[in-house]
Amino acid sequence: MTTIETATSQPKESTNVASNTTRIQSSAPSFKRWGRRHPFVRYGLPMISLTVFGAVGLAHLLQGSKDIAKVKDDQEWEIIETRKALSRTGPIEAYKPKKISLEEELKALQQKVDINNYEYKRIPKPNEGNSD
């Protein structure tokens, strides 16, 4: 009886394989039809998922630069606080720069440069300097 069962089981396996391939071949056009019937699943869902996952990924990448900026801000804040503390105690108050007015600067510049006495000087062209 075992030989009969094995003989009959082989054709069943071959019919199962054949039926599976026909099922797969028949499901492909139905899948294409399903994509045509529901364009949101074919185009919209991938687009929305790409947008959402892209935003999450970019947020994860940018978090590092935000952390670095926060550390730099904290360091600058510490520097400002130490300057305020030093100015209360005195060393920064000891340095007092002189106040400069614009009129004084203009007079000093006019003494350095005399715009009434000047001499014309010809500027050589780039190709003239090479031939000399």
Side-chain angles (χ1 to χ4, degrees), residues 3-100:
T3 57
I4 297 172
E5 289 176 4
T6 57
T8 56
S9 65
Q10 286 177 356
K12 286 182 183 178
E13 289 178 7
S14 64
T15 57
N16 283 342
V17 172
S19 65
N20 283 341
T21 57
T22 56
R23 247 189 278 149
I24 291 171
Q25 290 174 353
S26 66
S27 67
S30 68
F31 182 72
K32 287 182 181 178
R33 265 187 269 121
W34 187 67
R36 284 190 209 120
R37 278 190 202 155
H38 308 286
F40 175 75
V41 174
R42 189 172 185 183
Y43 300 109
L45 197 61
M47 184 65 179
I48 290 172
S49 62
L50 181 69
T51 305
V52 169
F53 289 129
V56 169
L58 281 176
H60 182 70
L61 288 174
L62 292 176
Q63 188 62 39
S65 64
K66 288 180 182 178
D67 292 341
I68 291 171
K70 185 177 179 184
V71 168
K72 283 185 180 180
D73 287 343
D74 291 343
Q75 289 174 351
E76 289 175 3
W77 183 255
E78 288 175 7
I79 290 170
I80 290 170
E81 288 297 317
T82 54
R83 277 194 180 171
K84 284 182 181 177
L86 286 174
S87 68
R88 281 187 231 119
T89 57
I92 292 181
E93 289 294 324
Y95 172 71
K96 293 182 180 178
K98 65 176 188 173
K99 295 184 179 180
I100 301 172

Side-chain angles (χ1 to χ4, degrees), residues 82-124:
T82 54
R83 277 194 180 171
K84 284 182 181 177
L86 286 174
S87 68
R88 281 187 231 119
T89 57
I92 292 181
E93 289 294 324
Y95 172 71
K96 293 182 180 178
K98 65 176 188 173
K99 295 184 179 180
I100 301 172
S101 67
L102 289 177
E103 290 83 15
E104 292 174 3
E105 286 295 315
L106 179 63
K107 287 178 185 177
L109 186 63
Q110 285 175 347
Q111 288 175 357
K112 287 181 185 177
V113 178
D114 187 16
I115 60 171
N116 294 326
N117 297 326
Y118 57 89
E119 182 180 328
Y120 284 111
K121 292 184 179 178
R122 186 173 177 272
I123 299 173

